[in-house]
Amino acid sequence: MTQHFEPTIRIQREAFDAGDVMRSLRAGRTDIGAVACFEGICRDHNTATQALGEQSVQALELEHYPGMTESSILGMVREAQQRWPLQAATIIHRIGVLLPGDPIVLVAVASAHRHAALEACAFLMDYLKTQAPFWKKETTSQGAQWVDAREADDAALARWGVAAANVGAAPR
């Protein structure tokens, strides 16, 4: 099932265009039968803190550990390659200060068949939410605070038989 390819992994401050990435992923390829894509977008609220009566999110700041982050994501893609017959993958994650409506993350996966592409895309996104070394700080009218990993994200990863290592604690 393993097919070797070099995935595209980018950590960047600049916005991306999901359509351009998907077109690039399959450009000149007639062996690809499906491309699955997930684009995460900065919301104006955090469901967990909104329930506690907190204000809407004005900004989200993302930090990462250069080198370690890319290596961690590459490991995730290699794990997906072991599980599904993938032909290509692109993962883009933004860092810096983002505003509501800004794109944050993009996972695009190609395979010969839709099931493999859809499953691998969901797997990679679940993995990214809990395992990739990114740290998030939300700013509201009440101030800024680091956001801890959510139990729901750990549960989503567990459905793939992977225990979360919870790297999402705030930087020290």
Side-chain angles (χ1 to χ4, degrees):
M1 189 177 288
T2 302
Q3 294 185 6
H4 183 75
F5 61 85
E6 285 305 314
T8 300
I9 299 168
R10 296 190 334 235
I11 311 300
Q12 63 190 46
R13 292 187 182 278
E14 306 79 33
F16 53 80
D17 183 296
D20 287 347
V21 172
M22 290 176 59
R23 281 185 290 282
S24 175
L25 194 69
R26 60 183 170 81
R29 306 273 309 257
T30 57
D31 58 326
I32 291 174
V35 174
C37 180
F38 174 86
E39 180 179 17
I41 301 163
C42 182
R43 294 179 299 212
D44 65 357
H45 67 281
N46 176 325
T47 307
T49 57
Q50 192 173 38
L52 301 173
E54 295 202 14
Q55 302 297 313
S56 62
V57 174
Q58 297 170 345
L60 180 66
E61 185 175 352
L62 291 135
E63 295 183 8
H64 77 117
Y65 194 103
M68 182 176 153
T69 304
E70 294 85 349
S71 178
S72 175
I73 294 171
L74 178 60
M76 295 172 199
V77 175
R78 296 291 184 237
E79 174 70 22
Q81 286 179 283
Q82 294 295 316
R83 294 172 180 242
W84 296 280
L86 304 181
Q87 295 167 304
T90 295
I91 297 176
I92 301 171
H93 206 297
R94 294 183 65 198
I95 56 170
V97 177
L98 303 173
L99 303 176
D102 287 345
I104 301 171
V105 61
L106 179 77
V107 175
V109 180
S111 182
H113 304 285
R114 77 180 185 289
H115 180 76
L118 289 168
E119 291 286 300
C121 187
F123 170 79
L124 287 167
M125 195 57 229
D126 287 344
Y127 223 134
L128 275 168
K129 285 287 287 181
T130 61
Q131 304 304 106
F134 289 101
W135 297 277
K136 296 190 298 187
K137 182 170 46 173
E138 287 182 344
T139 300
T140 69
S141 62
Q142 297 175 340
Q145 68 180 20
W146 292 102
V147 179
D148 290 328
R150 297 179 335 155
E151 288 182 22
D153 294 329
D154 292 346
L157 185 60
R159 79 179 171 126
W160 304 106
V162 178
N166 257 334
V167 297
R172 304 282 182 242

